[in-house]
Amino acid sequence: MSGSIVVLISGSGSNLQAIIDSVKAGDIPGQISAVISNKENAYGLQRAEQADIPTRVLDHTEFANREIFDANMIRLIDEYQPDLVVLSGFMRILTADFVRRYAGKLINIHPSLLPKYQGLHTHKRAIEAGDSTHGASVHFVTEELDGGPVFIQASVPVEQDDTPETLAARVLVQEHKIYPIAVKWFMEGRIQLQDNIPHLDGVSLAGNIPLLSA
Ligand SMILES: Nc1nc2c(c(=O)[nH]1)N[C@@H](CN(C=O)c1ccc(C(=O)N[C@@H](CCC(=O)O)C(=O)O)cc1)CN2
Ligand SMILES: NCC(=O)N[C@@H]1O[C@H](COP(=O)([O-])[O-])[C@@H](O)[C@H]1O
């Protein structure tokens, strides 16, 4: 399927860059129709402009509440008729209306081996817990924050002298591998939700999530 991908960002957009590169290499069928940021200073906007991808900014602080912001985001996103909406370092919790609007075609990458460490500051939490491994997960987005069904993960070792920053950098390398794979699978029609369980090529991933190990 050659379709439309809309990417939402809030910051650096390094995962966006990995997806841009993968589309350019012809590995992902489809195109990034737009990159939308809730922060006007997001470096990811420059990455998109350098790749001649349309950019839009919708500053969440300019809206009275989350519901109104999301309603305006929906109106903007729908201009591009997306087959897939990709959250890439997008740092706003989305309302039920937004999640319902794009159910089954809204994905996120989260810097932990879900279901461990939903929410923020995941690397610091993993280090403080004394974990020996950490990683990243790509999941469908649901109302439950970072609780949606996961369909690909990557793991990395946690080193004794790791700081949240060194661990984040190691995880990010793996994120840049699994996110383009996840988008490719979706755009090829290979990954689908059936009864809220991800299936790859028709095979259930329940208890069998693909895991890349660094
Ligand atoms: N309804 C959902 N919304 C979002 C999900 C989700 O699974 N369901 N995933 C997140 C992505 N995310 C972690 O992967 C995440 C993003 C933002 C926050 C958060 O607490 N945001 C605060 C603001 C923080 C800030 O501006 O720095 C907020 O929205 O009030 C937690 C986790 C994307 N949305
Ligand atoms: N809760 C969402 C979240 O923490 N996302 C994380 O933001 C970092 C920067 O992403 P980017 O370089 O793609 O902007 C990435 O590690 C991503 O997993």
Side-chain angles (χ1 to χ4, degrees):
M1 153 173 88
S2 178
S4 168
I5 303 164
V6 171
V7 183
L8 307 189
I9 65 169
S10 296
S12 165
S14 70
N15 277 289
L16 164 67
Q17 188 66 59
I19 296 166
I20 289 173
D21 295 345
S22 193
V23 168
K24 274 189 174 178
D27 295 336
I28 295 175
Q31 63 172 18
I32 301 173
S33 304
V35 171
I36 300 172
S37 176
N38 67 305
K39 296 198 175 179
E40 66 176 354
N41 63 347
Y43 181 67
L45 293 169
Q46 293 184 47
R47 296 180 192 268
E49 287 157 11
Q50 286 159 16
D52 297 320
I53 297 169
T55 59
R56 309 292 289 269
V57 175
L58 212 59
D59 183 343
H60 65 278
T61 64
E62 293 177 359
F63 296 88
N65 58 47
R66 205 178 291 271
E67 287 71 20
I68 295 172
F69 171 66
D70 280 15
N72 281 272
M73 281 286 277
I74 289 169
R75 189 177 303 126
L76 179 57
I77 291 168
D78 283 355
E79 288 181 23
Y80 300 94
Q81 299 180 307
D83 298 289
L84 177 62
V85 180
V86 176
L87 306 185
S88 176
F90 183 70
M91 298 306 287
R92 298 299 297 174
I93 297 172
L94 296 163
T95 59
D97 283 350
F98 187 107
V99 171
R100 270 195 295 268
R101 179 84 183 89
Y102 302 110
K105 58 180 182 179
L106 174 61
I107 63 174
N108 177 56
I109 191 159
H110 179 75
S112 81
L113 291 172
L114 291 171
K116 292 185 84 170
Y117 310 127
Q118 296 170 334
L120 297 175
H121 313 302
T122 63
H123 311 301
K124 179 173 184 287
R125 292 154 68 189
I127 291 169
E128 290 176 349
D131 292 352
S132 57
T133 58
H134 189 47
S137 307
V138 181
H139 64 97
F140 286 95
V141 173
T142 62
E143 277 187 70
E144 182 192 356
L145 186 61
D146 305 326
V150 176
F151 62 93
I152 187 170
Q153 293 183 308
S155 67
V156 300
V158 180
E159 307 296 353
Q160 281 292 331
D161 58 352
D162 262 329
T163 64
E165 293 72 26
T166 60
L167 182 54
R170 190 173 310 119
V171 171
L172 208 51
V173 170
Q174 300 305 314
E175 291 184 41
H176 297 162
K177 294 177 183 175
I178 64 173
Y179 220 179
I181 292 170
V183 173
K184 174 182 173 62
W185 284 352
F186 188 96
M187 295 304 288
E188 290 175 334
R190 296 182 57 191
I191 198 81
Q192 283 156 351
L193 277 177
Q194 293 172 19
D195 299 327
N196 210 38
I197 296 172
H199 288 62
L200 178 61
D201 299 332
V203 178
S204 169
L205 297 183
N208 184 32
I209 297 171
L211 174 68
L212 275 67
S213 297

